[in-house]
Each structure stands twice: as C-alpha cells, then as structure tokens.
Amino acid sequence: MNGVSVVGVGMIPFGKYPEVNIVDLGWPAVKAALKDAGIDGKRIEAVYSGTSRGGAMTGQRIMGRLGLAGLPIVNVENACSSSSSAMAQAVLAVGSGAYDVVLVIGVEKLSKYGGGTLPMDEDDWEIGLGLTMPALYAMRASRYIHDYGLTLEQLAGVSVKNRKNGALNPDAQMKKPVTIEEVLASRMVSEPFTLLQCCPTGDGAAAIVLASDKVAKQIRQDAVRVRASHLTSGRFMTGFRDMTSPEITVRGAKETFEEAGLGPEDIDVAEVHDAFSIAELLYYEAFGFCPRGEAPHMLTSGATSLGGRIPVNPSGGLLAKGHPVGATGAAQIVEIVRQLRGEAGARQVEGARVGLTHATGGGISGFDHGACSIHIFQR
Amino acid sequence: MAVEATQTRPRPLLCGDAAERDAAGNVVLVGGRCADCGARAFPRSPVCTGCMSENIVAERLPRRGTLYAFSSVHIAPKKWKKPMRIGYVDLEGDVRVFTHLAGGEFSIGDEVEVDIGAVGEDEAGPIECFVFKRVPK
C-alpha cells in the first residue's frame, strides 16, 4: 500500500434542516473540503459517498450539482458506518495507486422522519418483534450495570461531558451544556436511558479530500497521514454473546492497532461511536483505553475530558455534535484532522499528534453491529 | 366465500410458526437444528450458519431459560404496548432469544418461562407473540 493523507476537510453544522434536500445538504460540505485543500474540483478522480437513508445515487446528485460529475462515483450504504466505510474504500483506492486525489462524502437527512426512534427494517427478526436501537443499547447498559456496578449518575456523566464539549463546537447540533440532574430528569426513553442519553435526530454532511504521497505535500504541507484504515462486519451469533464487550469493535480495534503499529497508549484523541451514553464506556474498554470494568472510573476521573489523558469525543460526539447516521464517520474524521492540525479552537487537545475515529452501526439480529470502521491518523 | 374464511381465521402469531403448543397445551418455541453439524438456531433458518447445510430440522427448545439483559421501553412505534418490556433470554443449548417480557418485575439472572401474550395492537386488532414470564422463586 502507498501512503495516503487527508489534505482537505469540510462539513456543514449538524442540525435540523427540514426545508433543505439531501443534495443541498451535501454540496456545501464538498465545496468546503475543496476550499480547505485549496484545489480545483477537477482534480478529483473518484468519489466515495456514504449515506444510509439518502436514497439512490446521492453521490452523483451532489457532484452533479457542483458540475463535477463524469468520474467514478460509488455510493456506500453501511448504516451508521456508511461514510466511514466509504473512507475505507477511498483509502484502498488511493493506497493501491489507482488514483492520486479522491473525495469522500457523508450525508444524511433524518429530519424527514419527524421525531421518535429511527425507523428500522421490520423484515429483520428482532426489529419485527419490536426491538429499537435505544432498547438494544439499553440492554447493554442493563447488563453492564449488573456486571460492574455502574451507577445511573456515572452513566449520565457521559452526556454531561459530551454536551460540555459540544458547547465548544460551532458545528454541533446540541450546544447547551447539561447537568447530571438534568440528564436524569429528562424524559425516559428506554430504561436506563433518558432522552439526554440518546443521540439527537438530525441532518448533516461532511467531506474529505484524500491524496497519495506523490501529490499530498504539494497540496498541503500539513497533510494528515492515514496510519490505519479498517473495516469489518460483525460475526453472526445465535447463542451467548457478552453485550458489555462488543466483539466487532474489540476485534476491529486489535486489527487496526496492528495495522498502525500502535497501541491504545499512543492515541492522543479519539472520536468514538457514542450513539447512547453506555456506548462510550463500552468503547473505552474495547479499545483498551482502560481495563474491563473500569470505564466508569475512567470517565469520572476526567481522563477522557478535555485536558485529560485521552480526550474522547472532543467534538461533542454523537450525543452533542449529532448523529445524521451516514454523515457521522466522515464528520468524526473532520474533527480529528482539525485536532491534529491544531485548528479545533476552544476544544483543542493540546499537542495532539495521533487521533482515532470509530463508527459502528446497524442493528440487525444476530450481530453486535453490522459494520464497524476504524481509522487512525497522524500528523 | 374465500374472503369470509380469511376473516374468521384467527390472526397468526407475530412470530409465525416459531411458537406452538405441545400435547399438554404448553407453549414451546421451535428452533432449528442442523442435521449435519448439530448447530442450533432460533428462529429457524433454511441454511446452517455453522456449515451451510440446508438439512435443517425443526426442534422444540427448552421452555425455561435465564434472563440475560432487559429494558423497559417507553418510546417505540405506536403499535407496541408501553412500557414495552423486552429482553434477551438464554436457553440451554446455547440459543439466545429476543423476547417481550410479561408480568411482574424482572432482574437479570431470573429464571423465565415461555408463554403467549398480547404485545401490542394495530388496526387489525391485538398482536400476539411468544413472551417470557418470570418463574416464581
């Protein structure tokens, strides 16, 4: 594999844009990424576009709007990992030597569904019987509480930390900090989760320009190197599985660290898939940021807050920045690239050199998750 | 005529033929066992995840199991009875079942037993499915 770097990133602030169609959500993010890279759009040789609910040919529609169609465009659907999976394909394409400059898009419009839980495919056995995404994560939480004595206040602390970070991020959907009391007093969704422990429904778009070693430094001197790019699917299991240790992320993390030649101790900043409060805690352990059962302590110690040993979700994460599902992975990469370039403003992780992104998703029977894509970046 | 016959037939269970009654009238779940490699699954699938064999036989599952995890769900599509209590139950033979829970309070590790109950309602009337209930200690 040849070396691959990120030379441009852009996104629109996550939020609710009921009047804007998905194409008009997407193109401003692409234009921002091109401007950030300082290149003409005609230099893009291929596009990998991720959306879960955006419909057919979303990539073509966005590139067509900008007058940049007429090149290979691949649309990727992998639920919440759609644009991080698109990124993995783009890294392979540049790494193989096929292209020198490619574009990754992540875009989603969830406001079209109104409120409530995300509609799921009832052809799936468990969804057909009534399983919802909050309920799936809530069962993980119930088991973690049982096995490790996590308290409801500790669980609510994840939302407090991430909302505090979101308040420092102009691109976040939820910019108001909250207290533990407010989190626990908000409306019950799926026990033990109250509303403020569930990611909001929203819309968004993010884009990334990747370049080969051959051209990256000509485009941007401070190109951010892709140290590892990993994609996997969950294993299908009909019997026992430990819901406090999602195998897809445990396995994905191990393989990603091997590819990078790095370990959890080398990560300075991470964006992980905190769709619900419990998820962030499970991922501290899945990535080896702390031993099994110690995530609540790691959170309350401040180690994962801004200024801590390894700040997690400085952008506000899915809980505060928002989770327009297909756009999430790309937006995590935007955040980490900004952190590694020192452009993250009030939420800057001082001296960050190595950053990690993790987007996993797909609530389908028999799997912890359908897909998981992890990336490690270095400046 | 045919329409009339359809209208008088009771509504099928939400889980289809994955639950039935045994000779004694007790509800039992019906899973699949691979006749070639012995792997078990619920619900029954036409192909084995262990060896890709299509030689799958229906097999009644143990009526009792252990509650692995659960949640009381307050926000969910309209048709479900709320709060909707759902959980995962582990049966002997390494089969995990996603299920609605009926009656009483639950704790992880509870012994539970399968039955049939109403889990929701839509324009066609009550929705019935297998459920698990706590076995009194």
Side-chain angles (χ1 to χ4, degrees), chain A residues 6-7 216-217 220-225 337 341 343 379:
Chain A
V6 178
V7 293
K217 292 282 180 192
R220 265 192 88 119
Q221 270 304 312
D222 59 354
V224 169
R225 197 171 181 82
V337 167
R341 286 192 201 151
E343 297 170 354
R379 77 168 151 95

Side-chain angles (χ1 to χ4, degrees), chain A residues 116-117 122 125-132 135-136 138-140 142-143 146-147 187-192 236 238-244, chain B residues 14-15 18 40-43 49 67-77 79-80 84 86-88 90 94-96 98 100 108 129-130:
Chain A
T117 56
E122 295 201 2
W125 175 255
E126 293 181 352
I127 301 298
L129 293 186
L131 184 62
T132 63
L136 178 62
M139 286 191 280
R140 293 175 182 151
S142 81
R143 189 70 205 192
H146 174 270
D147 288 358
R187 183 178 177 188
M188 186 58 77
V189 173
S190 192
E191 294 176 28
F236 183 83
T238 57
F240 178 85
R241 59 196 147 106
D242 182 349
M243 289 181 79
T244 68
Chain B
L14 179 64
C15 57
R40 289 183 162 84
F42 181 83
T49 56
L67 185 60
Y68 174 79
F70 69 98
S71 178
S72 284
V73 183
H74 297 253
I75 310 286
K79 64 184 173 185
W80 306 110
M84 170 175 80
I86 49 91
Y88 281 114
D90 286 329
D94 199 25
V95 174
R96 177 166 288 181
F98 172 76
H100 289 255
I108 285 175
C129 188
F130 68 82

Side-chain angles (χ1 to χ4, degrees), chain B residues 85-107:
Chain B
R85 270 186 296 190
I86 49 91
Y88 281 114
V89 172
D90 286 329
L91 305 178
E92 210 175 296
D94 199 25
V95 174
R96 177 166 288 181
V97 177
F98 172 76
T99 183
H100 289 255
L101 301 170
E105 293 299 310
F106 289 87
S107 303

Side-chain angles (χ1 to χ4, degrees), chain B residues 13 15-21 27-30 42 114 116 129-130:
Chain B
L13 294 175
C15 57
D17 60 4
E20 63 186 22
R21 288 188 188 273
V27 177
V28 285
L29 294 179
V30 183
F42 181 83
V114 70
I116 283 173
C129 188
F130 68 82

Side-chain angles (χ1 to χ4, degrees), chain A residues 27-262:
Chain A
W27 69 257
V30 173
K31 204 174 160 185
L34 290 171
K35 187 178 174 211
D36 186 56
I39 60 168
D40 189 294
K42 301 280 188 291
R43 284 195 68 178
I44 296 169
E45 297 162 64
V47 179
Y48 296 82
S49 178
T51 186
S52 182
R53 310 293 178 106
M57 302 285 121
T58 301
Q60 281 84 342
R61 289 188 283 151
I62 291 168
M63 296 307 282
R65 188 77 105 218
L66 290 167
L68 295 174
L71 70 175
I73 299 177
V74 179
N75 293 283
V76 179
E77 192 287 304
N78 241 352
C80 309
S81 310
S82 293
S83 59
S84 53
S85 298
M87 174 75 176
Q89 302 315 297
V91 171
L92 282 176
V94 175
S96 74
Y99 307 117
D100 284 317
V101 181
V102 305
L103 176 73
V104 176
I105 304 172
V107 63
E108 203 76 76
K109 180 174 175 174
L110 299 181
S111 64
K112 67 182 179 185
Y113 295 115
T117 56
L118 191 64
M120 305 286 285
D121 188 351
E122 295 201 2
D123 282 350
D124 181 82
W125 175 255
E126 293 181 352
I127 301 298
L129 293 186
L131 184 62
T132 63
M133 288 309 288
L136 178 62
Y137 280 89
M139 286 191 280
R140 293 175 182 151
S142 81
R143 189 70 205 192
Y144 194 98
I145 288 167
H146 174 270
D147 288 358
Y148 297 110
L150 168 73
T151 69
L152 296 181
E153 287 73 19
Q154 288 170 327
L155 189 59
V158 176
S159 301
V160 173
K161 172 180 77 68
N162 291 354
R163 289 286 287 257
K164 190 175 169 189
N165 293 349
L168 304 174
N169 183 357
D171 290 328
Q173 181 171 349
M174 313 302 271
K175 293 196 185 74
K176 184 175 163 288
V178 293
T179 63
I180 285 181
E181 293 70 28
E182 285 168 334
V183 173
L184 293 176
S186 62
R187 183 178 177 188
M188 186 58 77
V189 173
S190 192
E191 294 176 28
F193 299 147
T194 54
L195 185 64
L196 292 178
Q197 294 176 62
C198 306
C199 57
T201 298
D203 312 322
I208 300 148
V209 181
L210 291 182
S212 67
D213 274 356
K214 202 166 79 188
V215 302
K217 292 282 180 192
Q218 300 159 15
I219 296 174
R220 265 192 88 119
Q221 270 304 312
D222 59 354
V224 169
R225 197 171 181 82
V226 180
R227 278 291 297 260
S229 174
H230 190 269
L231 171 65
T232 191
S233 60
R235 289 204 171 114
F236 183 83
M237 292 175 283
T238 57
F240 178 85
R241 59 196 147 106
D242 182 349
M243 289 181 79
T244 68
S245 183
E247 76 80 25
I248 185 171
T249 295
V250 171
R251 178 165 46 87
K254 182 172 172 288
E255 292 171 2
T256 308
F257 283 134
E258 278 169 12
E259 182 187 334
L262 297 170

